[in-house]
Amino acid sequence: VQLQASGGGLVQPGGSLRLSCAASGSIFSINAMGWYRQAPGKQRELVAYITSGGSTNYADSVKGRFTISSDNAKNTVYLQMNSLKPEDTAVYYCNANVKRQRLGTARDYWGQGTLVTVSS
């Protein structure tokens, strides 16, 4: 299973970015997809996730500013980031909890990370 993330870049404070992540490979089903981030010198933290049923969860620091969505048919998750702040600067990692076979066990897979820099 491969996760390909895109959409990072440099943006000014108050600006917006949209991240995308597509899962491909041997996939029977995806239980949930999400985004984590890791800022320099800090631990990786959950930003948001969405289940296959559409339930979402957000870190308190991004509630009201970020929106996670998915296209289940395309095995793709999106993260719309608005009102960006310098403290949002981090490498953002896509995550998917994937079941590769009907009788198999689901496990987590990670994308390569995409850098988001919020700076004037």
Side-chain angles (χ1 to χ4, degrees):
V1 176
Q2 297 82 40
L3 299 180
Q4 183 65 48
S6 61
L10 173 64
V11 63
Q12 292 186 342
S16 299
L17 280 176
R18 188 191 194 210
L19 305 183
S20 300
C21 176
S24 62
S26 179
I27 298 172
F28 175 76
S29 63
I30 298 178
N31 295 322
M33 296 186 76
W35 293 93
Y36 289 71
R37 67 185 181 186
Q38 187 166 19
K42 294 188 176 181
Q43 290 188 332
R44 189 174 298 190
E45 63 176 1
L46 172 69
V47 177
Y49 72 78
I50 184 167
T51 69
S52 58
S55 298
T56 59
N57 188 49
Y58 295 90
D60 288 342
S61 59
V62 306
K63 283 181 181 177
R65 300 188 297 122
F66 291 10
T67 302
I68 191 169
S69 61
S70 64
D71 184 334
N72 292 340
K74 296 182 178 180
N75 291 334
T76 299
V77 64
Y78 307 96
L79 185 68
Q80 179 65 43
M81 305 185 292
N82 299 328
S83 302
L84 283 160
K85 304 176 181 179
E87 50 263 45
D88 294 318
T89 296
V91 177
Y92 283 69
Y93 295 92
C94 175
N95 168 273
N97 186 259
V98 177
K99 199 173 184 181
R100 298 186 64 186
Q101 298 177 344
R102 184 175 66 87
L103 297 180
T105 301
R107 57 153 287 191
D108 284 339
Y109 293 86
W110 294 89
Q112 82 283 8
T114 184
L115 177 62
V116 172
T117 303
V118 184
S119 175
S120 55

